[in-house]
Amino acid sequence: MTATVIDGKAFAAKVRGLVQAQVANLIEVQGITPGLAVVLVGEDPASQVYVRNKHASTIEVGMASFEHRLTVDTSEAVLLALIHRLNADPAVHGILVQLPLPGHLNSELIINTIDPAKDVDGFHISNVGLLGTGQKSMVPCTPLGCLMMLRDHHGSLSGLNAVVVGRSNIVGKPMAQLLLGDSCTVTIAHSRTKDLAAVCRGADILVAAVGRPEMITGDFVKPGATVIDVGINRIERDGKTKLVGDVHYASAAAVAGAITPVPGGVGPMTIACLLANTLTACCRANGLPEPVGLTA
Ligand code: GUN
């Protein structure tokens, strides 16, 4: 079998188009412009690239973008004061504090100071609890993007066996909750799972978010299964730096029914879902109906 390639780049463009159309409508009909504030502390090169991309995408869909760049030695008190200001600012509907933060800052305290209604990352403990109990919440962007691609490919996910490899708070755990919400039978596996290959072979939907380059090979994949690769790993091969996922693409694609590539799979969906979440937060803040096709 040769797997269908799930084109995350094209799907993300479609999601951004949906966001853009609904933003234009909000501005025209309600006179409301959704706004996203991104806070970057320090000069981590990877974070700078992410923040630049977020800014450009936010502007592109017609939203307001507020960037706050703080020096690496910024105190916790100063950062907390900024978050309180953004919480109180009616032009700001979404707040994202770029992680990782410098070591002297308490990330949990910072994230839990964001107004949960503006927590477009879905990392605030209130949103984690709401998602875990099946209530309306802000949902972390990467798992939301995976869910959208799975729904698009399968239609209903009801009754399917899903295995999520990885137990992080950012991807693995919320992914499992979302799949459970769509009535999958869900297993969370991880690097210490006994006979991981056999567990994975039981999956109709296999989500790899373990952070180990090319760990999931074709012998982990049930014939015809859908494989979602969340991994983004930089490796050296043949003297060149290469981007690979947590899935060994060639061997998995030979067995799977559908698969996301790296790059061009899950990656582009993350920023698209950040924009979707900002629009959702804006609609909720203004008592308007939820945006169409952009929520869990
Ligand atoms: N750093 C890398 N990815 C993310 C993300 O999705 N959200 C935040 N806040 N920081 C990140």
Side-chain angles (χ1 to χ4, degrees):
M1 179 176 294
T2 302
T4 299
V5 180
I6 299 176
D7 185 345
K9 208 172 153 190
F11 195 69
K14 198 169 130 187
V15 171
R16 288 199 307 273
L18 275 176
V19 172
Q20 189 168 21
Q22 293 178 66
V23 167
N25 186 261
L26 255 186
I27 294 171
E28 193 185 317
V29 178
Q30 307 286 345
I32 300 166
T33 304
L36 173 64
V38 174
V39 180
L40 174 62
V41 184
E43 295 183 357
D44 176 68
S47 293
Q48 284 184 324
V49 173
Y50 285 133
V51 168
R52 209 177 308 133
N53 290 342
K54 282 168 189 165
H55 174 73
S57 306
T58 306
I59 298 293
E60 204 179 292
V61 295
M63 294 183 183
S65 172
F66 308 100
E67 257 188 45
H68 295 269
R69 291 170 179 265
L70 306 178
T71 55
V72 69
D73 58 355
T74 298
S75 70
E76 202 160 86
V78 165
L79 181 53
L80 289 172
L82 171 61
I83 291 174
H84 285 299
R85 275 209 313 282
L86 297 173
N87 283 346
D89 186 342
V92 173
H93 303 97
I95 302 170
L96 179 144
V97 176
Q98 186 68 27
L99 301 175
L101 285 169
H104 67 285
L105 298 170
N106 179 342
S107 300
E108 281 182 5
L109 172 67
I110 307 293
I111 297 301
N112 288 327
T113 301
I114 298 172
D115 177 349
K118 297 189 178 188
D119 168 37
V120 282
D121 261 328
F123 295 166
H124 190 290
I125 191 69
S126 295
N127 282 316
V128 175
L130 289 167
L131 178 62
T133 50
Q135 300 179 71
K136 199 155 85 174
S137 66
M138 296 307 303
V139 174
C141 302
T142 300
L144 178 59
C146 295
L147 183 75
M148 284 184 186
M149 289 195 287
L150 284 166
R151 284 178 176 168
D152 183 67
H153 183 75
H154 282 269
S156 169
L157 306 182
S158 181
L160 296 177
N161 286 328
V163 174
V164 179
V165 189
R167 51 181 157 175
S168 72
N169 292 332
I170 293 178
V171 182
K173 287 180 205 162
M175 186 77 250
Q177 298 285 4
L178 289 172
L179 291 165
L180 207 49
D182 270 27
S183 302
C184 290
T185 303
V186 182
T187 303
I188 303 181
H190 44 80
S191 55
R192 305 270 179 93
T193 297
K194 273 190 190 156
D195 203 353
L196 181 60
V199 173
C200 291
R201 275 196 301 275
D204 303 307
I205 293 170
L206 180 58
V207 181
V210 73
R212 296 196 182 184
E214 299 180 326
M215 180 188 174
I216 308 294
T217 48
D219 56 319
F220 287 53
V221 179
K222 175 176 166 174
T226 300
V227 178
I228 304 288
D229 189 353
V230 181
I232 300 177
N233 309 287
R234 259 168 240 284
I235 61 160
E236 293 294 323
R237 184 171 290 156
D238 307 327
K240 289 183 198 148
T241 304
K242 199 170 176 254
L243 217 54
V244 299
D246 293 349
V247 174
H248 184 269
Y249 186 82
S251 62
V255 186
I259 188 165
T260 60
V262 176
V266 173
M269 286 298 290
T270 299
I271 290 188
C273 287
L274 173 66
L275 303 172
N277 278 350
T278 304
L279 177 61
T280 300
C282 178
C283 290
R284 288 179 185 169
N286 288 283
L288 298 167
E290 300 273 296
V292 177
L294 298 172
T295 56

